[in-house]
Amino acid sequence: MKARVFSGVQPSGNLHIGNYLGALKNWVIIQHDYESIYCIVDMHAVTVYQQPEELRSKILETAALFLASGIDPKHSAVMVQSSVPAHAELAWLLTCVTPMGWLSRMTQFKAKAEKQETVGDGLFQYPVLMAADILLYQAAIVPVGDDQAQHLELTRDVAQRFNSLYGDTFVVPETKLPTVGARVMGLDDPLKKMSKSEPGAGHAVALLDPPGVIRKKILRATTDSQPAVDYSALGPGVENLLNIFQAFSGWADGQMQSHFSGMRYGDLKKQVAEMVISHLEPFQKRYHEIVSEPGYLDGVLRDGAARVSPIANSTVELVKRRMGLYVPS
Ligand code: AQP
């Protein structure tokens, strides 16, 4: 039997090239080596306010982006988190074994909480729901970008704590980060991670941006006061552009250095823009084909939820038994 892989994306805005390079691209590469489950984590998205109509349409848009990336729904289950109630059920049970001190150390909570007028308890509990998403399917591998590494460590800690309290129950998952593109930075501020929820118009390249917009955003990206690429003293903006090029092209380090050393920033930006556009154009064509087929996405999501529900329900039943809760015979 193949080991299981699980990962998810929040439908919390416009997916960008960071989400693609950090997560989706690698999901596609490894999907056939595992039993794969890829999830639109809508219950994570509502840890901060989402406009309901917009959220509904972003859920379907995110599913279409998964498929346009190359996720094969005949092999991989593509599903929406809230369609499988066991995610919420397991999250509660895990909340009861997770010390609050562990959660208060989460850097993403601190960063996201700072941006909110009122911080909902869900934002604090977010990493436990994420642990439940993964442990529910006994996933061995979780391919994510670098910003999720701390949450994955917490998931491992929760699994180990549960196993030591109640006996071996959960597979302790491994984090899988991409070698290039694990942390794509903002184009307008290369010291900040590229994020869906960052407001600046020049911050992120969205996966559905038209070529003209992509060109404009990349040509305006923040660099530094040097005129040309110097590998012995790369500033964060230039390093980010080079990483984006390398992650899309798959070029080796040596090829990157001999091609870009001494190149003027204006030319570097043009080449990065054309590399991104050449990958996103066919991707966007597939996306538009997928969304124009009536009922197709709903069918994929219904099938995905139906395929994973028995796994999820049997984990919750096992956890309840282990904890001594009532399970009707
Ligand atoms: N900048 C990034 N570089 C590489 N990988 C990234 N990921 C996110 N940003 C980058 C990876 O994308 C996957 C889905 O992320 P998410 O939707 O769970 O939320 P996030 O990590 O909080 O991503 P965003 O874009 O910053 O969304 P918002 O603004 O809604 O919080 C994950 O595997 C993540 O590592």
Side-chain angles (χ1 to χ4, degrees):
M1 208 176 82
K2 283 181 177 170
R4 213 167 271 144
V5 61
F6 177 94
S7 198
V9 169
Q10 297 181 66
S12 49
N14 295 326
L15 264 64
H16 50 72
I17 55 173
N19 300 128
Y20 176 73
L21 297 173
L24 297 178
K25 183 168 177 271
N26 304 299
W27 299 4
V28 174
I29 293 170
I30 64 173
Q31 67 179 330
H32 289 288
D33 298 334
Y34 298 94
E35 186 187 330
S36 313
I37 303 172
Y38 296 127
C39 188
I40 296 127
V41 285
D42 55 347
M43 295 197 300
H44 283 282
V46 294
T47 54
V48 297
Y49 177 78
Q50 306 290 332
Q51 208 284 323
E53 274 316 306
E54 218 169 277
L55 178 60
R56 254 187 289 282
S57 76
K58 289 289 176 196
I59 290 169
L60 289 179
E61 180 183 299
T62 306
L65 290 171
F66 284 13
L67 302 183
S69 304
I71 304 291
D72 170 8
K74 290 198 182 72
H75 174 77
S76 305
V78 176
M79 40 83 62
V80 178
Q81 184 187 31
S82 64
S83 311
V84 178
H87 286 256
E89 207 175 352
L90 183 60
W92 173 253
L93 299 173
L94 296 182
T95 298
C96 300
V97 300
T98 307
M100 283 176 70
W102 291 4
L103 295 177
S104 42
R105 286 197 287 273
M106 295 296 109
T107 54
Q108 201 178 73
F109 168 72
K110 290 177 194 158
K112 287 195 172 179
E114 270 171 17
K115 294 184 195 160
Q116 307 302 315
E117 255 176 54
T118 314
V119 180
D121 188 32
L123 194 61
F124 188 65
Q125 303 294 341
Y126 177 118
V128 186
L129 178 59
M130 180 164 159
D133 298 336
I134 296 162
L135 302 180
L136 194 56
Y137 300 107
Q138 307 285 8
I141 304 287
V142 187
V144 285
D146 173 68
D147 65 314
Q148 292 298 336
Q150 192 186 33
H151 290 162
L152 254 300
E153 266 317 301
L154 183 112
T155 299
R156 291 167 53 80
D157 290 344
V158 170
Q160 276 157 351
R161 182 169 161 82
F162 191 98
N163 288 349
S164 76
L165 285 171
Y166 295 107
D168 252 9
T169 305
F170 292 121
V171 170
V172 180
E174 297 293 331
T175 309
K176 190 170 172 60
L177 300 178
T179 43
V180 188
R183 181 175 283 258
V184 177
M185 308 307 282
L187 295 176
D188 57 347
D189 179 355
L191 298 178
K192 263 194 192 162
K193 179 187 86 96
M194 188 177 281
S195 251
K196 297 183 216 90
S197 52
E198 258 323 295
H203 171 75
V205 172
L207 294 175
L208 295 177
D209 275 347
V213 173
I214 297 175
R215 237 174 243 122
K216 204 157 133 191
K217 286 180 176 175
I218 295 179
L219 293 184
R220 287 187 183 164
T222 301
T223 47
D224 51 54
S225 56
Q226 300 302 313
V229 178
D230 173 0
Y231 267 91
S232 65
L234 287 179
V238 174
E239 191 171 15
N240 189 38
L241 290 170
L242 290 167
N243 279 338
I244 292 171
F245 186 98
Q246 187 172 21
F248 274 106
S249 66
W251 286 13
D253 291 348
Q255 190 180 5
M256 288 292 297
Q257 287 214 17
S258 60
H259 183 78
F260 285 109
S261 281
M263 187 180 283
R264 298 190 70 80
Y265 289 167
D267 293 328
L268 163 71
K269 288 176 175 180
K270 279 185 201 148
Q271 296 206 10
V272 175
E274 294 319 310
M275 176 55 66
V276 173
I277 291 167
S278 71
H279 277 76
L280 292 191
E281 264 182 339
F283 173 95
Q284 292 175 0
K285 188 166 170 282
R286 285 195 297 278
Y287 171 86
H288 291 298
E289 285 164 6
I290 290 161
V291 294
S292 65
E293 213 177 308
Y296 175 66
L297 279 175
D298 283 325
V300 166
L301 295 175
R302 216 176 301 117
D303 174 62
R307 274 158 64 191
V308 303
S309 287
I311 310 168
N313 293 339
S314 85
T315 303
V316 168
E317 189 181 318
L318 174 66
V319 170
K320 282 174 148 180
R321 284 188 197 283
R322 288 276 152 86
M323 293 180 86
L325 297 177
Y326 174 67
V327 178
S329 48

